[in-house]
Amino acid sequence: MRIGMVCYPGLGGSGIVASELADRLAHRGHRVFLFATELPMRLPEGSPVQFIPVEVPHYPVFPAPLYTLALAGALERAIREHGLELIHTHYAIPHAVAAELATEGHIPLVHTLHGTDVTLLGIDPAYQTLTAKALQKAAAVTAVSQNLAQQAQRTFGVHPRVIYNAVDTARFRPNPQAKRFYAAPDEFLLVHASNFRAVKRVGDIVHVFAKVRQKIKSRLVLLGSGPERAEALSIAHSLGVDDAVTSLATAQNPEAVIGAADVFLLASEYEGFGQSGLEALACGVPVVATRVGGIPEWLTPEVGRLVAFGDLEAFAQAVIELLSSPNLANLREAARHYAEKHFNPETITNQYEQVYHAALQGNAPVGREP
Ligand code: GMT
């Protein structure tokens, strides 16, 4: 198949899912064209995927850059020049509308919903109606968790098929030798990785760490960057734990740091899925996370702990209990096996391929009202 894949290129999970899927499809012999404003960070080097940059012209008359129109134009040209047979967008806003504009129903569209495209931007009147219309016309809509699929039904009137995210267990693997770079031999290493948006509640992570550190010798690595990073570091300073917190802004090889952790922390207010937590499990690192969105669909008691959102005391207790458990080594092993077994990239690629085949054959649309 000749597939056009659309995503955001930055630190976000939807770009990671799209780039890795594009790469696996290309290795299966499909011609895959990846559209983004920059080369997505997680597209593997030497990938057979063909990257098509979306160039957004700036002009003083425009109040803001016209990304939607530029993307639609790039897709329309690629349909003519490369004979795209199907377009798969990741993150609905504004990708679903841009793809609809470019294709006008001539080739099938598949849209994958990831999180705030439904729960935050999706409910914004500025975007809701047109996005709902575009999703309802698509050949298929998928969501990365049951929870997100239910929210999408309410917000957009669609019935997405759930396809969970995959994790590359060859890349995300235990890396205990690296722990010495971040912690002393008698200290535990806690890690959080994200794009530091408000929804990730990185300040809560720092508060939890300060509580844990009162009981257990430990250090915290904050991996990644984004709008809340400075605030998180200022909280660490005000709680007097800044000496024990390392902030690593670059995330070229997150697996090297995550794989060195004893426990991974995710305190989000919402997660459509929570990809970084799954990556931690693949590294053999148990996860303590908030019971929100799609997280309870993959975080089971055999590989980590769930706590109520905002209950920082319970969060800290769960971390302390995990780190003090005589079972920690078993939990680590279980975490890796669990990720390998349930979130295998090839199985998940098969599921997307099935959706594409059905879409191309014009079978009953996946994701519309039955
Ligand atoms: O919805 C977002 O915040 C954007 C998106 C991204 O690009 O960062 O993240 C979402 O997609 C990931 C991949 O499917 C999920 O693992 C994240 O849980 C989800 N983020 C949120 O729902 C906050």
Side-chain angles (χ1 to χ4, degrees), residues 272-326:
F273 184 82
Q275 183 70 14
S276 59
L278 178 61
E279 290 172 347
L281 294 185
C283 290
V285 178
V287 173
V288 180
T290 40
R291 192 181 289 105
V292 297
I295 294 178
E297 295 172 43
W298 56 264
L299 185 54
T300 63
E302 67 198 90
V303 294
R305 298 288 178 271
L306 286 167
V307 293
F309 168 70
D311 188 344
L312 305 187
E313 202 51 55
F315 203 127
Q317 279 314 313
V319 174
I320 292 166
E321 186 247 307
L322 261 189
L323 294 177
S324 327
S325 163

Side-chain angles (χ1 to χ4, degrees), residues 101-113:
L101 193 61
T103 57
E104 295 176 306
H106 293 310
I107 66 169
L109 301 179
V110 175
H111 303 298
T112 294
L113 307 173

Side-chain angles (χ1 to χ4, degrees), residues 138-211:
V141 181
T142 73
V144 295
S145 67
Q146 301 283 354
N147 178 279
L148 189 63
Q150 282 158 11
Q151 307 237 25
Q153 184 177 343
R154 284 196 292 274
T155 305
F156 298 128
V158 292
H159 296 258
R161 170 175 169 177
V162 175
I163 300 183
Y164 287 120
N165 291 341
V167 62
D168 178 356
T169 51
R171 175 173 183 174
F172 286 87
R173 48 190 314 119
N175 189 22
Q177 317 82 280
K179 184 177 162 183
R180 67 195 154 92
F181 298 130
Y182 311 107
D186 61 344
E187 288 175 324
F188 284 106
L189 179 62
L190 285 59
V191 173
H192 167 80
S194 72
N195 46 19
F196 286 62
R197 281 174 302 161
V199 70
K200 304 287 178 182
R201 300 294 287 235
V202 188
D204 287 3
I205 297 278
V206 177
H207 279 284
V208 166
F209 171 62
K211 291 177 190 292

Side-chain angles (χ1 to χ4, degrees), residues 55-100:
E55 277 153 23
V56 187
H58 288 248
Y59 189 67
V61 174
F62 300 159
L66 304 183
Y67 169 64
T68 309
L69 199 54
L71 171 61
L75 291 171
E76 193 274 336
R77 281 196 303 282
I79 293 168
R80 282 188 282 111
E81 289 168 14
H82 300 292
L84 296 188
E85 294 166 276
L86 176 143
I87 291 172
H88 183 181
T89 77
H90 290 261
Y91 205 85
I93 297 169
H95 297 158
V97 169
E100 180 61 32

